[in-house]
Amino acid sequence: MRDRQAARQRAKELVGRMTLEEKASQLRYDAPAIPRLGVPAYNWWNEGLHGVARAGVATMFPQAIGTAAAFDTELLEKIGDVIAVEGRAKYNAYREEEDRDIYKGLTFWSPNVNIFRDPRWGRGHETYGEDPYLTGELGKAFVEGLQGDGEYLKAAACAKHFAVHSGPEAVRHKFNAKASKKDLRETYLPAFEKLVKEAGVEAVMGAYNRTNGEPCCGSKTLMEDILRGEWEFEGHYVSDCWAIRDFHTQHMITDTAEESAALALKTGCDVNCGITYLHLMKAYQDGMVTEEEITTAAERLFTTRFLLGLFDETEYDRIGYDRLECPEHLALADRAAAESVVLLKNDGILPLKKEGLKTVGVVGPNANSRAALVGNYHGTSSRYITVLEGIQDVLGDDVRVYYSEGCHLFKEKVENLALRQDRISEAVAVAKNSDVVILCVGLDETLEGEEGDTGNSYASGDKMDLLLPQAQRELLEAVVKTGKPVVLVNMTGSAMDLRDAQEHCAAVVQAWYPGARGGRVVADILFGALSPSGKLPVTFYHDTEELPDFEDYSMKNRTYRYFTGEVLYPFGYGLTYGSMELDGVKLNGQEAAKGGEAVWAGEELRLEAVVSNKSDRTLQEVVQVYIRALDSGDATPNSRLCGFARVTVEPGCSVTVQVPVDRDAFTVINDEGEKVSGGSRFAVNVGFGQPDARTAELTGKETFGFVAVR
């Protein structure tokens, strides 16, 4: 493993040769060169959420929420590695040209491990969903892939946004997120803790908002007491962009830029994404900060630069430009897209069979949309394949494909001079002349995303509700009225109200934002070359009526762990084309009896399940384990995910799969935020979804449940 102590010593020696002004200059995200010391300029700001972003061509994977639906840690680790390899390839090429611009360094401000607690949040598609355990496991795998295990960091990952951050976007610069001690430790912090303590993430980024009154980029509780104190974090801390300025312009907890810079630095914020640290020297002159505090931050930053090997020859210097969008990486992007697609409903129409089909209608604003492929924080692809293009490629000249945009993504007409809904009649004509209609609806980054980055000005990137835009709802109604079978493909990064589709469409597919070439993968799933195997990383509610206010950060009645009502599609749910069965479960090597009790000694639980494929095609499934402490009043109201494993089973075969179980599965969080024993009796359920009535109704299968006793 890499030697942090040696890197820290080299950083100390180098920073020790700098003037105070030079040290302070290195705390900016766009750190200038120090020629006399041989220090080149370095821009700390780079993005790699689902592929190297914003600096030209790179392999583009499905948006993060889509890769979360794969429930596949191996996949996330490989994606992280590809981003690091392509990041190095770009860095090597750009360095030769002395190009040290923004988005061209090796410090990637990813992953986003905030909890997607409310479906209205526009940035939720950057996350791994609503569950802390799933988020932590996937985030850990991504970080380990990105940072590698070589002598040097292959790239540096950053866990963001610390902490208690998930909307609303419109007020994030002045908002105070209030979280109880229990919610903080049970929901909002676990993924960050795992990335720091188990994955060794090199950086943590603070959020814009306050948490319980303290700004997240100047919070003694979060930054000093928990992150560096309790968790012993040794990397560097970076502010979200222009978040420190918010201290005195929005949160009003300081009066001047100098005071804001001083507060952030003294609580441990090393890099300022923004310009407020330009006032550090004035803050020093006024006695607000010490030279020692500036030095400490600079040493942390140069420790990271030495760990990356930026002043040495490294094993990564030979990574060439040919690794960008190479066949191996593109194949992994296809795999990610295939594993991400979730089949929500199928009355038997899928997979579609080319034989007997004469005409297929492809309709909808996202059918031929590149924007609907990419999500946000994306790079550039050298080729895009939309769902329409993918279907055309799959069907070739054998089947006639009709196409209509159907309606604008959200406006009432496509052509400015036309009447309202000027594409509806074309869509109806396409439907009437087709054997089956594939209706592609949804959103894109202009409607859900980050405040300031979207065209959704009325909600600053958030959603007002869970409904599709009015124009799309009218399109769905008009197409369904033709009486032709409709397969709805929803391309969004969040949960939507799909009740009309569930009631009136023959099949419903959640494709997320599947990546630059994801349209071909979606087509392969629709026509049976691949079987869907994704699982929902978020709950799909009927609407927002039963949800708490968006600004309420209490977890009561939020997400599958706490929600008490009936949902449309549950967390962990997803269908396949064949039939997979769970034929047995062993607990620490002993057969467990369904509905019975199983006794085990010690703290560790080793679980294995026998999965059988009863169909005539190769299938993938995700075995999921849920647990609830029966003896503790501090347990979550509903069972929670504590283990998962993706498995591939050949036709007619059975496979025994080992399912890693969360080491904290048998603990609970009390009202003081303390992790304590959950008692001696635990309801354990193993299956292909969670143990709720709605999942059983939709799948026709009960989970394998028993009581574990210790």
Side-chain angles (χ1 to χ4, degrees), residues 273-413:
C273 183
I275 59 173
T276 309
Y277 274 11
L278 293 175
H279 299 271
L280 266 181
M281 290 305 299
K282 180 67 164 59
Y284 167 77
Q285 292 164 6
D286 291 347
M288 298 179 186
V289 298
T290 66
E291 180 170 359
E292 181 181 6
E293 288 164 339
I294 294 173
T295 300
T296 296
E299 287 176 354
R300 286 181 185 145
L301 297 180
F302 277 94
T303 297
T304 298
R305 290 175 73 170
F306 279 115
L307 285 170
L308 285 164
L310 301 190
F311 297 92
D312 304 321
E313 286 188 17
T314 77
E315 61 209 275
Y316 309 123
D317 294 347
R318 295 182 297 276
I319 295 176
Y321 204 74
D322 60 330
R323 300 303 300 278
L324 296 168
E325 280 196 331
C326 64
E328 176 189 355
H329 295 175
L330 293 174
L332 184 67
D334 285 347
R335 170 188 163 187
E339 292 187 14
S340 74
V341 173
V342 185
L343 180 59
L344 300 175
K345 177 188 176 180
N346 185 18
D347 69 359
I349 192 173
L350 294 180
L352 296 167
K353 297 176 178 58
K354 288 174 61 174
E355 299 76 18
L357 275 182
K358 294 182 179 179
T359 55
V360 171
V362 182
V363 175
N366 276 349
N368 200 33
S369 168
R370 288 185 173 186
L373 299 173
V374 301
N376 68 352
Y377 282 94
H378 58 78
T380 302
S381 177
S382 64
R383 187 184 181 199
Y384 297 82
I385 304 176
T386 65
V387 174
L388 171 64
E389 292 165 339
I391 292 170
Q392 290 169 331
D393 290 347
V394 166
L395 295 180
D397 296 329
D398 299 331
V399 179
R400 178 68 187 272
V401 178
Y402 294 117
Y403 165 67
S404 172
E405 185 178 357
C407 67
H408 189 274
L409 186 68
F410 61 92
K411 296 178 181 178
E412 63 176 15
K413 53 190 173 183

Side-chain angles (χ1 to χ4, degrees), residues 144-183:
E144 289 174 342
L146 189 72
Q147 297 191 161
D149 59 0
E151 181 182 356
Y152 295 92
L153 287 171
K154 187 175 283 189
C158 176
K160 65 182 187 184
H161 310 83
F162 191 63
V164 196
H165 175 76
S166 53
E169 286 292 298
V171 295
R172 64 182 184 170
H173 297 284
K174 58 185 178 182
F175 182 68
N176 181 31
K178 299 176 183 177
S180 69
K181 293 178 181 178
K182 180 178 176 67
D183 284 339

Side-chain angles (χ1 to χ4, degrees), residues 105-157:
L106 293 170
T107 42
F108 290 96
W109 291 350
S110 301
N112 182 340
V113 291
N114 291 132
I115 299 303
F116 199 176
R117 67 183 178 94
D118 191 298
R120 289 166 286 200
W121 186 35
R123 297 190 73 179
H125 57 108
E126 299 177 26
T127 76
Y128 298 128
E130 69 183 39
D131 182 68
Y133 176 68
L134 178 66
T135 297
E137 289 296 298
L138 297 180
K140 175 188 172 185
F142 180 87
V143 169
E144 289 174 342
L146 189 72
Q147 297 191 161
D149 59 0
E151 181 182 356
Y152 295 92
L153 287 171
K154 187 175 283 189

Side-chain angles (χ1 to χ4, degrees), residues 443-465:
L443 308 171
D444 64 25
E445 67 169 330
T446 66
L447 293 180
E448 59 173 351
E450 185 172 5
E451 176 258 347
D453 284 351
T454 72
N456 180 6
S457 58
Y458 60 86
S460 298
D462 293 327
K463 298 185 303 190
M464 300 292 287
D465 52 45

